[in-house]
Amino acid sequence: MWDAFKDLIFWIIEFFYNLLGGANGGDWGMAIIIVTVIFRILISPLMHKQTKSSFQMQKVQPLMKEIQTKFADDPVRQQEEMQKLYAEAKFNPLAGCLPMLLQMPIFIALFQVLQEMGTRTHGSTYEFYNLVPSLITTPSQAFAEGIGAFIPYVILMVIFAGTTFLPMVLQQRNNDGAQKKQMLIMSGVMSIFMLWISWNSPAGVLLFWGTSSLIGVGQQQISMAIMRRRDAEAEESIEVKPIEVDVTRKVKKPRPTKKGK
């Protein structure tokens, strides 16, 4: 099953490589970028849900802090109130993990496919428009060849790690100092971890992940702008109208009744 999935990943990349010209002008790096763009388009609804969940979380954070303070001595009640708040705000704490979980199988499969490129095709040069000499080479291997050969790979490493750090920073722009500092530290640690992973990852994998993350940041900012605009429009549409009383309308007096009737 897993081998079939890897074969599918390779077949899709090879299809776009041949579409670009194959051995007569095709580029494996551009083929990977095209596949990445298509993948991000397919998961864009999930990305929108993730961003919406993060946006909702920012709005309910003051209420979350209030619940945590009010029920600090009652963890069970605190959890119950949190669940009620999540339900009312339509916030799913796990929604942010789904897009990354979907990318992981592709990341691992692409990692293995690029390691096996030498046995899958013969005589091909796996470069990216002369910018990256070989997409199947890892930064650690390039470093052994000298600083000059290592430069394109260290740039991919920085993009690979930086695009992990950037979304977290952008999400914390409107938060308070304590929480923002905590998230920045966490994202910094995550970026260092990503640098460690990238050291022995083929350059093609770094190209895929960096491209995917950059597109994801763009999708996130567009979704956030749309939701902020909708909130602003909703606030502007709420108007408190005064009660109108028609003082010019004459009140009909009741007709006098005849006595005896």
Side-chain angles (χ1 to χ4, degrees), residues 1-256:
M1 183 67 181
W2 181 249
D3 288 338
F5 181 63
K6 289 195 300 180
D7 291 341
L8 176 63
I9 294 293
F10 174 76
W11 180 85
I12 294 173
I13 295 172
E14 187 180 38
F15 170 79
F16 286 104
Y17 170 73
N18 291 327
L19 192 66
L20 293 169
N24 297 320
D27 186 272
W28 289 100
M30 182 54 64
I32 290 173
I33 290 176
I34 292 173
V35 171
T36 306
V37 171
I38 293 172
F39 170 72
R40 294 303 306 202
I41 291 172
L42 291 175
I43 69 167
S44 56
L46 293 174
M47 279 298 301
H48 181 70
K49 286 185 178 180
Q50 176 194 13
T51 307
K52 186 177 180 180
S53 178
S54 300
F55 185 71
Q56 289 295 105
M57 183 176 181
Q58 291 178 7
K59 293 169 66 175
V60 301
Q61 274 180 348
L63 296 176
M64 292 170 64
K65 290 180 180 179
E66 185 178 334
I67 291 173
Q68 290 169 351
T69 303
K70 186 175 181 179
F71 302 105
D73 298 329
D74 191 349
V76 176
R77 179 67 185 279
Q78 183 182 121
Q79 186 65 24
E80 290 175 354
E81 295 298 324
M82 283 291 190
Q83 292 299 327
K84 290 179 183 177
L85 180 61
Y86 292 159
E88 292 173 0
K90 296 180 181 180
F91 167 65
N92 183 2
L94 300 178
C97 303
L98 190 55
M100 182 169 286
L101 291 176
L102 286 175
Q103 289 185 85
M104 287 311 296
I106 298 177
F107 178 90
I108 296 169
L110 186 59
F111 183 96
Q112 295 179 359
V113 164
L114 289 169
Q115 284 184 323
E116 300 166 1
M117 274 291 204
T119 60
R120 289 179 179 271
T121 60
H122 300 281
S124 293
T125 54
Y126 308 105
E127 60 184 12
F128 176 42
Y129 287 122
N130 295 321
L131 299 174
V132 182
S134 175
L135 294 171
I136 64 175
T137 299
T138 66
S140 60
Q141 293 170 338
F143 183 74
E145 298 175 7
I147 297 298
F150 180 61
I151 290 175
Y153 297 89
V154 74
I155 293 174
L156 284 177
M157 288 177 64
V158 171
I159 294 173
F160 178 79
T163 50
T164 303
F165 181 82
L166 185 58
M168 298 181 184
V169 173
L170 292 174
Q171 287 180 3
Q172 300 302 316
R173 285 183 300 180
N174 299 323
N175 289 340
D176 57 40
Q179 185 175 15
K180 185 175 183 179
K181 184 178 180 180
Q182 183 180 3
M183 287 301 298
L184 287 176
I185 293 173
M186 186 182 301
S187 56
V189 172
M190 179 65 72
S191 297
I192 293 172
F193 177 69
M194 297 301 279
L195 282 173
W196 177 74
I197 291 176
S198 67
W199 183 246
N200 289 305
S201 297
V205 174
L206 306 184
L207 181 63
F208 159 75
W209 191 272
T211 303
S212 178
S213 298
L214 286 173
I215 296 171
V217 170
Q219 290 175 324
Q220 178 196 63
Q221 293 307 300
I222 292 172
S223 294
M224 291 289 282
I226 291 171
M227 285 182 284
R228 289 193 187 102
R229 186 181 65 189
R230 286 177 180 173
D231 277 8
E233 290 174 353
E235 289 177 2
E236 289 176 1
S237 66
I238 298 174
E239 298 179 359
V240 180
K241 295 183 178 180
I243 298 174
E244 297 179 357
V245 180
D246 188 359
V247 295
T248 62
R249 187 176 63 182
K250 295 181 179 180
V251 179
K252 293 182 179 181
K253 296 181 179 180
R255 292 181 180 179

